[in-house]
Amino acid sequence: MPASYAYLGPEGTFTEVALRTLPEAATRELIPYVSVQSALDAVRVGEAEAAFVPIENSVEGGITTTLDELVAGEPLMIYREVLLSITFALLVRPGTKLTDIKTVSAHPAAQPQVRNWLRNNLPEVHWESAASNADAARLVQEGRYDAAFAGEFAAARYGLEALETGIHDAENAQTRFVLVGRPARPAAPTGADKTSVVLWQRDDHPGALRDLLGEFATRGINLMLLQSRPTGAGIGNYCFCIDAEGHISDRRVAEALMGLKRICLQVRFLGSYPRADIRPGEARPRLPGTSDEEFVGAADWVARCQDGRF
């Protein structure tokens, strides 16, 4: 496997900035790809060891392009996550004034984060989506558009200047990025972990979603992301992308996954990995009856009852 990481490019994306915060990135060749799909496919076909892509932002929730790519196709697994605070700059060719701007471009995920700023400052501007914010900057450099929303750090890379900086509609906005590779044994638990899965229902019936969520709730497992995605099999046919607290090696998480495997049409395990929002030792205390010791003790009690030793 090549010692390289694919990432959503081109150079100068928030994705590249977040990727470079990983210590192991210093020992890998970092290769930009034009889309999330092409970065993940590079892993699937063996061109790259792993891919680093955005998966969620604090304004709009899950990034559907990434979720859909993880739902479909050859299975992949998440190994790491990174949180990055996001503010945008309005990048233009030198000499451009605010009144000159008629078209603006950025990644679709950026639009909800600058919508109010646009309405207040450039109400007549025409929005064009780009494959990434850095690609929007490149298109401005080439003269395709008048301005791009991107990181201020991308200005020098594309010969642009930041006409406005610190642009954001929501304070403390963050984007979550994940390092994705081919399936293998998950890293050892840290005590502050997250498990990601995709669930498909067997059929549509009253209480079907409640049944799925009940497998987590009865074991005291908190959910951190729940997003439905269409399966493409018709209106009303959805699967569910879920992030849950804990590691697959935790007894409560393993039992929840076993329960889901019994009642779901399909379960896709996307990995157990360290959380980026807290450190080991900072996790929320578990509810009574949900520790590994209590699960082991309950299983031992059942075994003793079966042997007549109760």
Side-chain angles (χ1 to χ4, degrees), residues 8 14-15 18-19 21 36 51-64 66-67 70 78-86 107 109 113 172-180 193-197 223-227 241-245 270-278:
L8 176 61
F14 287 111
T15 307
L19 173 56
T21 68
V36 168
F52 193 76
V53 293
I55 196 170
E56 181 185 6
N57 71 65
S58 59
V59 176
E60 285 288 286
I63 294 175
T64 56
T66 301
L67 292 175
L70 293 177
I78 299 171
Y79 289 93
R80 295 282 299 277
E81 69 173 11
V82 171
L83 294 178
L84 185 70
S85 296
I86 302 293
H107 188 274
Q113 303 180 61
N172 304 314
Q174 291 183 310
T175 295
R176 180 165 71 101
F177 301 84
V178 288
L179 185 69
V180 180
D193 302 289
K194 178 183 295 185
T195 293
S196 298
V197 293
L223 299 187
M224 307 174 73
L225 174 72
L226 170 61
Q227 182 153 340
C241 301
I242 290 176
D243 288 346
E245 284 184 342
L270 294 180
S272 290
Y273 48 94
R275 291 172 57 178
D277 57 333
I278 62 173

Side-chain angles (χ1 to χ4, degrees), residues 38-111:
S38 61
L40 294 177
D41 282 346
V43 179
R44 289 186 169 112
V45 302
E47 291 179 0
E49 177 185 354
F52 193 76
V53 293
I55 196 170
E56 181 185 6
N57 71 65
S58 59
V59 176
E60 285 288 286
I63 294 175
T64 56
T65 302
T66 301
L67 292 175
D68 290 347
E69 283 299 317
L70 293 177
V71 166
E74 185 180 343
L76 296 170
M77 204 165 96
I78 299 171
Y79 289 93
R80 295 282 299 277
E81 69 173 11
V82 171
L83 294 178
L84 185 70
S85 296
I86 302 293
T87 61
F88 292 91
L90 186 67
L91 304 187
V92 298
R93 292 182 295 278
T96 302
K97 300 185 293 294
L98 205 61
T99 53
D100 297 329
I101 298 174
K102 307 302 179 186
T103 57
V104 65
S105 182
H107 188 274
Q111 189 173 24

